[in-house]
Amino acid sequence: MDSTTSTETTATRAMEALPGPRPWPLVGNALQIQRERFHLQMEDWARQYGAPYTFRIRDRRFMVVTAPDSIGHVLRQRPDLFRRTERIEKVSAEVGFLGLFTASGDTWRRQRPMVLAGLDPAHIRQFFPALVDVTERLRRRWEKAARGNEVIDLQADLMRYTVDVTTGLAFGEDLNTLESGDGDTIQRHLNVVMPSLFKRLLSPVDPPAWLRRLRDRELEPHLVALRSAVQGFIAKTRAALQARPGLREKPENLIQALVAARDREGSGVSDEDVAGNVLTMLLAGEDTTANTLAWMLWHLHRHPAATAVAREEVDRVLGGAAGVQSLDQLGRLDLLEACASETMRLKPVAPFIMNQSLADTTVENVAVRKGEFVICLMRPAGLEEKTFAQPQVFDPLRWRAEGASAHAMASARRHTMPFGAGPRMCPGRYLALAEIKLVAAMLLANFEIEEVAPEGGGEPREAISIVMAPVGLRMRLRLRK
Ligand code: HEM
């Protein structure tokens, strides 16, 4: 067990005895929660009642922890003592999304090494030239918008970028949604399916069968379209494996590894596992990275001094080129990486991680019974004054190695954990950081940011539907002289 975690073994408190919002009969606190601002509500309650605290949705009791040690303690005890919730597994299985993110137990154990191998730094290195190409497409798209003084739908463009990258890396497929007019189908369908999934997850009661059928009927065309896209990827992979049987032993991407495993006797990987993981990659790789980038560009626009320092680094490292050309250059963009860390501290797109206990245990001396829920609420620790001076201020320089002692840096990292921690930590983090740095460097090298704001200006609203996103960010760019 990790030496920095809270390892107490005796429970001195019952979960019910923790402070928290007063529950109503039957529904508990369900009616106090607006789905879109679930994370904000939990953060409000943490300020009001302190942490840990408890709330209830019908008969499901939740404990919320915010201390980094407790968060690490819970996350590192997966998959044996904590799992993602049974409900997320059930709901995602219903819509065909059962993949690494939602799987548990042996299914998760079988899948994790395959997904990890498909996204590890070695694969990112191999895929790097394609990443440079996709970034260049985005530059061309934004150059056209800048010349025409057009308003850019920032999140939509960034999602085209992340879908093109993910499908290229994980499925060996160049969708080019950035340049093909009709290539938005995947995003369009995911954008309908995701909120519906989140709604089902948070729903305090299981709706009656007739309502479920009605809801499913509305969702069905989108699911059919997504499944058909997935089947297309799988069919192409099968053809590739047939043409080059050697790929079965040495797969070049994630989908080849999954399909080859599916065909191997006794692998335990099913058709559903393959399809579920293809969709999981799209879902996990698209919104998270695109919205982190959107939040980062919004911050950069509001902080010209930070932007100037980051731009100076980009100019120095790129030496006048329009974008990053080598992994060496990518590795030298420390300030852009600091901007990403600072963005994820203030605007974590995964603001909480939900866990369900697999056995009776204790967390912060509180008895957690088998089947109960512990929610790791991630943002409060990143806003603690004792670790981050002036915590509300966007200051990327606080993440620079020269500016902080190694000890302070390690502590800062342990306080934010934007990619989670322990055995289920995000396997896409290398890819995500590469994408973020490539896009931000391309933007700073070629454009001045005239505006990044929601319609009407001001700070964008945070809305959560699986991922926490800014609502309605528009961007205007000017070509840099
Ligand atoms: C800035 C971008 C991203 C952020 C902030 C992010 C964050 C996270 C977080 C917080 C988790 C849960 C970790 C835990 O439970 O400890 C996670 C899991 C996961 N992420 Fe990411 N992620 C990002 C990008 C990506 C990308 C690009 C991919 C793949 C293409 C990806 C694939 C996954 C998968 C498959 C899981 C499930 C891992 C498991 O349960 O074993 N993520 N991510």
Side-chain angles (χ1 to χ4, degrees), residues 247-324:
L247 288 176
R248 288 189 181 276
E249 291 312 312
K250 276 191 153 209
E252 283 172 357
N253 58 41
L254 176 64
I255 196 168
Q256 288 175 0
L258 286 167
V259 173
R262 148 73 187 80
D263 295 349
R264 212 172 296 131
E265 207 156 309
S267 72
V269 176
S270 66
D271 282 343
E272 288 73 33
D273 292 339
V274 178
N277 274 299
V278 171
L279 279 172
T280 297
M281 280 307 116
L282 286 171
L283 159 66
E286 183 200 39
D287 272 23
T288 45
T289 312
N291 285 309
T292 300
L293 255 166
W295 279 119
M296 178 162 145
L297 298 184
W298 175 74
H299 274 119
L300 286 176
H301 174 56
R302 283 172 55 116
H303 295 88
T307 307
V309 187
R311 197 194 293 276
E312 190 272 321
E313 179 188 75
V314 168
D315 286 344
R316 186 164 27 83
V317 171
L318 268 54
V324 175

Side-chain angles (χ1 to χ4, degrees), residues 98-396:
L98 191 53
L100 187 71
F101 187 85
T102 45
S104 60
D106 285 344
T107 311
W108 175 82
R109 281 192 189 86
R110 264 197 307 272
Q111 293 179 2
R112 176 89 186 177
M114 272 187 269
V115 175
L116 218 54
L119 294 170
D120 70 1
H123 267 82
I124 312 294
R125 270 197 294 280
Q126 255 175 24
F127 184 66
F128 188 71
L131 265 173
V132 170
D133 282 353
V134 181
T135 312
E136 171 57 15
R137 288 176 194 161
L138 184 62
R139 188 196 66 72
R140 287 201 293 268
R141 190 177 169 96
W142 284 355
E143 181 179 332
K144 189 163 161 272
R147 287 194 190 284
N149 200 21
E150 289 164 24
V151 174
I152 294 166
D153 180 343
L154 181 58
Q155 282 144 287
D157 271 12
L158 291 173
M159 284 188 202
R160 287 187 183 99
Y161 176 83
T162 53
V163 161
D164 282 0
V165 168
T166 310
T167 47
L169 176 75
F171 318 142
E173 179 92 11
D174 186 10
L175 275 194
N176 197 2
T177 69
L178 276 166
E179 290 181 329
S180 62
D182 62 352
D184 294 354
T185 35
I186 289 190
Q187 287 101 313
R188 201 159 54 76
H189 298 301
L190 280 175
N191 289 346
V192 179
V193 172
M194 285 309 116
S196 162
L197 232 169
F198 191 58
K199 191 168 162 189
R200 285 188 199 191
L201 280 178
L202 282 195
S203 165
V205 284
D206 276 330
W210 64 267
L211 190 57
R212 275 210 309 273
R213 273 197 299 278
L214 190 71
R215 204 183 48 185
D216 289 351
R217 215 176 307 150
E218 281 170 12
L219 211 56
E220 198 51 25
H222 302 284
L223 289 174
V224 168
L226 281 173
R227 280 186 206 123
S228 128
V230 168
Q231 290 314 326
F233 294 138
I234 295 177
K236 279 195 182 170
T237 306
R238 285 206 176 286
L241 293 182
Q242 206 157 10
R244 292 170 57 201
L247 288 176
R248 288 189 181 276
E249 291 312 312
K250 276 191 153 209
E252 283 172 357
N253 58 41
L254 176 64
I255 196 168
Q256 288 175 0
L258 286 167
V259 173
R262 148 73 187 80
D263 295 349
R264 212 172 296 131
E265 207 156 309
S267 72
V269 176
S270 66
D271 282 343
E272 288 73 33
D273 292 339
V274 178
N277 274 299
V278 171
L279 279 172
T280 297
M281 280 307 116
L282 286 171
L283 159 66
E286 183 200 39
D287 272 23
T288 45
T289 312
N291 285 309
T292 300
L293 255 166
W295 279 119
M296 178 162 145
L297 298 184
W298 175 74
H299 274 119
L300 286 176
H301 174 56
R302 283 172 55 116
H303 295 88
T307 307
V309 187
R311 197 194 293 276
E312 190 272 321
E313 179 188 75
V314 168
D315 286 344
R316 186 164 27 83
V317 171
L318 268 54
V324 175
Q325 301 298 323
S326 69
L327 279 160
D328 170 63
Q329 288 178 338
L330 193 72
R332 285 193 284 133
L333 292 171
D334 292 339
L335 266 167
L336 283 190
E337 188 146 339
C339 289
S341 298
E342 187 66 344
T343 301
M344 293 190 284
R345 180 180 73 82
L346 291 167
K347 298 290 182 187
V349 296
F352 61 88
I353 299 177
M354 183 93 83
N355 306 279
Q356 190 167 13
S357 156
L358 286 162
D360 292 354
T361 183
T362 58
V363 176
E364 293 203 35
N365 284 334
V366 177
V368 177
R369 282 183 296 263
K370 181 178 173 183
E372 285 182 330
F373 301 88
V374 179
I375 298 179
C376 298
L377 191 60
M378 307 306 275
R379 182 156 47 184
L383 297 176
E384 272 177 19
E385 211 141 30
K386 62 181 190 317
T387 312
F388 300 96
Q390 294 191 288
Q392 300 293 345
V393 175
F394 178 80
D395 176 15

